Amino acid sequence: MTMFEYAPAPESRDVVDIKPSYGLFIDGKFVDGKGEAFKTVNPATEETLAEVAAATSEDVDAAVAAARRAYEKVWGPMPGSERAKYLFRIARIIQERGRELAVLESLDNGKPIKESRDVDIPLVAAHFFYYAGWADKLGHAGFGADPKALGVAGQVIPWNFPLLMLAWKIAPALACGNTVVLKPAETTPLTALLFAEICQQAELPAGVVNIVTGAGATGATLVEHPDVNKVAFTGSTEVGRRIARAVAGTRKKLTLELGGKAANIVFDDAAIDQAVEGTVNGIFFNQGHVCCAGSRLLLQESIAEEFLARLRRRMGTLRVGDPLDKNTDVGAINSAEQLERIRALSQIGEAEGAERYTAPCVLPERGFWFAPTVFTGVSQSHRIAREEIFGPVLSVLTFRTPDEAVAKANNTPYGLSAGVWTEKGSRILWLADRLRAGVVWANTFNKFDPTSPFGGYKESGYGREGGRQGLEAYLDV
Amino acid sequence: MTELSTLLAGLPGVDQVGAEQRAASLATRSIKTSAKAWAIDLSIRMVDLTTLEGADTPGKVRTLCAKAIRPEPSDPTCPSTAAICVYPSMVPVAAAALKGSGVHLASVATAFPSGQAPLQVKLDDTRAAVEAGADEIDMVISRGAFLAGDYQHVFDEIVAIKEACGKAHLKVILETGELGTYDNVRKASWLAMRAGADFIKTSTGKVAPAATLPVTMIMLEAVRDFRELTGRQVGVKPAGGIKTTKDAMKYLVVVNEVAGPDWLDPDWFRFGASSLLNDLLMQRQKLATGHYSGPDYVTVD
């Protein structure tokens, strides 16, 4: 061996016990679904991991009814200090079973184990710890002396951060005294079902958390259910619109966290090595399956060439492959359908005249894979600069002045996040004031924290999750 | 304002949080089995086995030289270390002990470790070590002058010492623990490289913190960028505080992924260390036999 070739270092999948089939979690028990069961696959190998029940409208009725009973009889009347104990207990069990959850998340989602282990699961636990702390302090959250819960929350979450999105939804809902019916994405239901087991282990009262699995129809039934008081959705803008239509004219409270096409703006005085890292992290983290991904790199034209050379060199060290290998940086695309979408938009990028660069890497033969890709010479008018690709594909645009950077960054129907890279503090503040984005990261990217509110402008949705502000979505205020 | 200070001020900044995050992320690489065996032998070949104590005696230095030549007496496949590193007064002893072994002889010089002596003293120190047989000189920069902004003074000193070295390789110790910021580490790296350093080295080992992973990463970025700009390759030597095989693996990962495989060679990367060698040898035995031995199965020095 003359090169430093890292031998495979796979995390053991024996730490998690996957059952051949899973039912729905309703009223504290696993029950059979009445719909036709569907398979969930490992996107890295295309092997079937388990069969999962599909919830029909009858099943959703049962789940909402269980949640209603639990809200009225147990969870609603329970003092906040008691609710907090359950949430703290859940948070601790998540930490204790962290490795199991991380392996299962990587198997079902395709994300590298180093991300599920070091990012997803620690953030999940942190979210429960954080909102557990609020449960008995709601009177100090700025929503009046004794703010009330809403009732039953119907929550629909995406496949990119399955357990983390569950935590973002369930932790504040429960802390505020609501009960929930949650539908995980059809391609990634397994960690939500393991979470249901954790609820049992924590002896959470029956009906406080209900998990109904299924595809879009199940989600539609849930959000349209007349006995749901609150709807929370994270996912595509297209589905978000449909949900907003369905909820319009009802008394349901709605929060939506939708798509994005974030600008990551790099100035000529940026700390260049860290800006390259931030760009890589911004778009290739979680295979680019991130609503707030920095998918548009706005480079000051004077440094564009040098920066891109450094970026390409760095992309050459990205390790794409087995998600369970501890040395993998970029894992599998979550589904054949998503892979098709990424391929189609990339082809459009080429057809529109942008120059394509793909990191040199060998992709596994089975499974869904897409090599990290950068398009240069992209214009504002190109579709790859406007549409969310939701994959490891970066579009690079250039700007000449700070004003132009702001104009280009804001020239999108989305407004979820943005990044600014400069060593000049005053410029960071100047930009943060002008960028129409819910989150502006300065000299970093894709940083998440339960204490910090997250949410969008414009077509990226409304409402905030996380922080004190995140309580509002689950309180009658 | 001098041309040199303007040039150093023009270097891109280092974001501390981002740099430390990157180093920490590289430190999570998992090096196992065949990769580990390869990296352990490479690490042994990169060690500058060091003793820099007031209590150093000819006897101590001779035993250390024997250890450097044959770290694992019972296993002829175990490589020698890169070099021995001693004080100038011990160079004649070490030169005799290492003769014909291929192990390099490094000597610290220039009023090590503080560097607080007149230039003439530093030059004499250096020439004496080279004349006595050192083929590598580890000099210290004047941190006081650097921190006072007198970059030209630091630069001129390095140029003078480099000249005094003749054919001996010059390693320039930045003493990063006294420079305070990563921006300064980058500036000092560029200054030393422009002045003619063959290697840039983190620390004397006499100041805490000594080598850290982020500091070494910043220096590896500097040598990488310097070669791209000038075509000249400069080596990097972290020294002090690297004690375990696990530490060494992390450094090699950073070398591999930041500077690139061209630096994965004792000519371009060294570990200034003493206790590291025995841990490497124990891990080497463990990989070969499947079980851990103990400290009595490697020699104390």
Side-chain angles (χ1 to χ4, degrees):
Chain A
M1 187 157 70
T2 51
M3 300 276 282
F4 197 5
E5 285 158 5
Y6 307 157
E11 178 68 64
S12 167
R13 61 177 289 175
D14 298 339
V15 297
V16 62
D17 178 26
I18 304 177
K19 298 186 181 75
S21 68
Y22 287 88
L24 312 169
F25 185 66
I26 294 175
D27 209 12
K29 293 181 291 290
F30 282 96
V31 298
D32 291 337
K34 297 200 167 53
E36 196 178 330
F38 60 96
K39 292 180 167 65
T40 183
V41 303
N42 177 348
T45 59
E46 298 179 54
E47 69 167 313
T48 299
L49 293 169
E51 283 214 337
V52 181
T56 62
S57 58
E58 212 177 315
D59 295 320
V60 172
D61 274 346
V64 173
R68 175 62 58 194
R69 276 195 305 278
Y71 173 67
E72 282 172 359
K73 300 236 157 61
V74 190
W75 199 251
M78 188 184 283
S81 56
E82 290 299 309
R83 292 199 304 270
K85 288 182 189 171
Y86 286 103
L87 291 171
F88 279 123
R89 196 180 294 166
I90 288 170
R92 283 193 300 267
I93 297 172
I94 287 167
Q95 287 185 318
E96 284 161 15
R97 300 181 71 173
R99 179 180 282 207
E100 194 182 342
L101 288 163
V103 169
L104 187 60
E105 196 76 303
S106 282
L107 282 170
D108 204 16
N109 170 278
K111 66 175 67 200
I113 186 75
K114 75 167 192 186
E115 288 177 9
S116 50
R117 177 195 67 199
D118 297 344
V119 182
D120 291 55
I121 307 304
L123 278 172
V124 169
H127 238 81
F128 276 97
F129 276 119
Y130 176 74
Y131 279 110
W134 272 117
D136 61 351
K137 302 173 194 73
L138 296 172
H140 304 279
F143 304 110
D146 187 18
K148 299 290 181 235
L150 292 163
V152 175
Q155 306 176 317
V156 179
I157 58 169
W159 47 261
N160 57 341
F161 294 94
L163 194 64
L164 183 58
M165 291 301 104
L166 174 148
W168 283 26
K169 297 283 181 282
I170 291 184
L174 264 48
C176 292
N178 306 274
T179 57
V180 305
V181 180
L182 176 131
K183 188 197 88 70
E186 73 231 61
T187 60
T188 56
L190 295 184
T191 46
L193 294 164
L194 184 54
F195 178 79
E197 286 178 25
I198 288 173
C199 292
Q200 288 180 324
Q201 192 184 343
E203 293 172 1
L204 187 72
V208 174
V209 167
N210 304 273
I211 311 279
V212 292
T213 44
T218 306
T221 311
L222 175 59
V223 302
E224 287 165 18
H225 197 285
D227 201 30
V228 161
N229 305 94
K230 153 79 191 179
V231 171
F233 171 77
T234 296
S236 71
T237 296
E238 184 196 339
V239 175
R241 276 203 193 91
R242 263 187 267 154
I243 291 175
R245 263 187 232 115
V247 168
T250 71
R251 295 175 59 97
K252 291 174 194 171
K253 195 165 176 175
L254 176 65
T255 43
L256 296 172
E257 199 261 272
L258 308 174
K261 191 75 189 175
N264 205 1
I265 309 168
V266 182
F267 286 93
D268 61 358
D269 68 339
I272 195 160
D273 289 303
Q274 286 74 50
V276 169
E277 274 318 299
T279 302
V280 166
N281 178 39
I283 187 62
F284 302 125
F285 172 65
N286 203 34
Q287 297 73 248
H289 301 329
V290 184
C291 44
C292 52
S295 52
R296 283 187 298 150
L297 177 64
L298 290 182
L299 279 180
Q300 188 156 359
E301 202 167 324
S302 54
I303 55 157
E305 208 174 311
E306 187 196 340
F307 190 92
L308 289 169
R310 286 169 183 261
L311 178 63
R312 288 189 198 103
R313 178 177 60 203
R314 175 66 179 88
M315 284 169 67
T317 66
L318 287 173
R319 304 170 64 84
V320 185
D322 180 8
L324 284 190
D325 192 314
K326 292 172 203 163
N327 291 325
T328 292
D329 298 317
V330 179
I333 302 301
N334 181 249
S335 64
E337 188 190 349
Q338 186 58 26
L339 179 59
E340 199 37 57
R341 180 177 162 76
I342 297 167
R343 281 187 180 146
L345 271 164
S346 299
Q347 270 152 20
I348 289 167
E350 279 185 83
E352 285 174 325
E355 193 184 323
R356 178 175 183 162
Y357 172 81
T358 297
C361 59
V362 183
L363 299 179
E365 280 176 17
R366 288 184 64 80
F368 315 127
W369 303 94
F370 197 90
T373 294
V374 170
F375 280 103
T376 50
V378 179
S379 313
Q380 282 293 108
S381 58
H382 286 171
R383 279 182 67 188
I384 54 169
R386 311 213 42 89
E387 295 178 28
E388 186 177 37
I389 299 173
F390 221 62
V393 181
L394 178 68
S395 300
V396 183
L397 298 96
T398 58
F399 67 88
R400 295 161 298 176
T401 63
D403 282 324
E404 189 179 8
V406 171
K408 283 187 166 170
N410 286 340
N411 182 216
T412 165
Y414 296 111
L416 194 52
S417 68
V420 181
W421 297 84
T422 170
E423 288 279 275
K424 198 170 263 190
S426 57
R427 186 180 282 154
I428 293 172
L429 298 174
W430 184 87
L431 272 150
D433 254 359
R434 284 159 182 77
L435 290 170
R436 304 275 300 157
V439 184
V440 178
W441 283 296
N443 293 327
T444 189
F445 210 91
N446 277 339
K447 270 263 179 284
F448 305 99
D449 191 290
T451 64
S452 172
F454 184 91
Y457 276 56
K458 301 188 278 186
E459 286 190 23
S460 290
Y462 40 83
R464 291 292 179 266
E465 295 182 294
R468 183 182 62 79
Q469 294 84 348
L471 294 166
E472 188 181 356
Y474 292 96
L475 290 172
D476 187 14
V477 290
Chain B
M1 198 167 67
T2 63
E3 197 188 329
L4 184 62
S5 64
T6 310
L7 179 125
L8 295 179
L11 290 170
V14 181
D15 184 78
Q16 183 187 339
V17 175
E20 288 173 357
Q21 191 180 313
R22 168 73 170 140
S25 131
L26 286 169
T28 67
R29 291 285 192 223
S30 181
I31 304 304
K32 301 283 182 206
T33 59
S34 58
K36 188 172 180 181
W38 183 83
I40 285 175
D41 277 12
L42 178 62
S43 298
I44 294 171
R45 292 169 54 220
M46 286 173 162
V47 167
D48 280 7
L49 195 60
T50 303
T51 185
L52 295 168
E53 302 300 333
D56 287 346
T57 59
K60 163 83 182 171
V61 169
R62 265 186 230 108
T63 53
L64 209 64
C65 290
K67 173 111 180 171
I69 297 166
R70 296 191 62 188
E72 182 77 276
S74 56
D75 181 358
T77 66
C78 179
S80 305
T81 69
I84 278 285
C85 183
V86 293
Y87 270 119
S89 62
M90 290 295 144
V91 169
V93 181
L98 293 174
K99 201 165 189 242
S101 68
V103 174
H104 291 286
L105 172 49
S107 173
V108 296
T110 71
F112 180 94
S114 73
Q116 299 282 27
L119 177 60
Q120 196 53 51
V121 175
K122 293 180 179 182
L123 291 170
D124 291 345
D125 200 14
T126 306
R127 287 194 194 101
V130 173
E131 276 161 26
D135 63 349
E136 299 181 355
I137 294 295
D138 289 26
M139 72 167 284
V140 290
I141 64 165
S142 299
R143 283 86 74 191
F146 182 90
L147 292 169
D150 195 353
Y151 301 128
Q152 197 63 46
H153 176 88
V154 181
F155 183 91
D156 293 342
E157 263 193 354
I158 297 172
V159 170
I161 302 290
K162 171 77 182 161
E163 204 193 327
C165 281
K167 281 187 182 157
H169 268 224
L170 178 63
K171 304 193 199 106
V172 177
I173 302 172
L174 311 179
E175 196 66 297
T176 53
E178 290 185 341
L179 298 182
T181 65
Y182 296 132
D183 287 320
N184 274 347
V185 172
R186 177 169 285 180
K187 277 183 194 167
S189 299
W190 276 83
L191 185 156
M193 291 187 293
R194 283 180 61 91
D198 297 303
F199 255 77
I200 49 176
K201 174 175 168 184
T202 59
S203 327
T204 59
K206 305 292 183 193
V207 165
T212 67
L213 205 54
V215 153
T216 308
M217 183 185 79
I218 303 297
M219 290 165 66
L220 285 162
E221 288 168 354
V223 295
R224 175 197 69 195
D225 293 348
F226 185 77
R227 185 178 74 169
E228 201 153 285
L229 198 72
T230 65
R232 186 165 81 84
Q233 187 165 345
V234 173
V236 175
K237 177 178 170 185
I242 305 163
K243 296 190 190 309
T244 64
T245 302
K246 205 168 183 176
D247 289 339
M249 301 295 103
K250 290 175 185 172
Y251 279 89
L252 291 188
V253 164
V254 174
V255 173
N256 190 37
E257 298 198 34
V258 173
D262 288 355
W263 270 266
L264 282 175
D265 186 285
D267 283 347
W268 303 111
F269 194 77
R270 296 277 182 86
F271 291 111
S274 41
S275 59
L276 170 65
L277 181 60
N278 270 351
D279 195 64
L280 288 166
L281 294 174
M282 282 195 279
Q283 288 291 333
R284 196 173 184 278
Q285 288 175 0
K286 154 69 174 46
L287 277 181
T289 64
H291 60 265
Y292 282 103
S293 50
D296 286 345
Y297 293 84
V298 290
T299 57
V300 288
D301 59 17

